[in-house]
Amino acid sequence: MKTRETPQVKGSTFDARVAFARAATAFGWTAFGAVAVGATAAGAVAIGALAIRALAVKRAKIGRLSIDELEVGRLRVRELVVDKEERPEGAQSA
């Protein structure tokens, strides 16, 4: 009796499906990692903005400010400290 042998097909569809599944899985993990990195960066930026805003609010305390009239064309001041001593009328300087 002769037995019939089935011819082997080169490049079966099973191998192609496994290769596609592996590539899709790798792409999925890469995308997941990119989303995680982006979320971490966005969180760091948000926390940094809150910290900077908190520092700016703490340092920008103004005790007293009185401006009667102000007209400025162009002004660049790094630090200006002016102390003016007010004396009651009739008091003379020594």
Side-chain angles (χ1 to χ4, degrees), residues 2-68:
K2 288 188 175 184
T3 59
R4 247 181 177 185
E5 293 184 21
T6 58
Q8 290 188 354
V9 179
K10 292 185 179 181
S12 68
T13 58
F14 177 75
D15 292 337
R17 285 184 278 166
V18 169
F20 179 77
R22 287 181 179 166
T25 303
F27 181 72
W29 281 111
T30 303
F32 179 73
V35 168
V37 168
T40 303
V45 168
I47 289 172
L50 289 174
I52 289 170
R53 187 174 300 144
L55 286 174
V57 168
K58 285 182 182 176
R59 290 187 180 177
K61 292 182 180 177
I62 298 174
R64 183 186 61 161
L65 179 63
S66 176
I67 299 175
D68 295 330

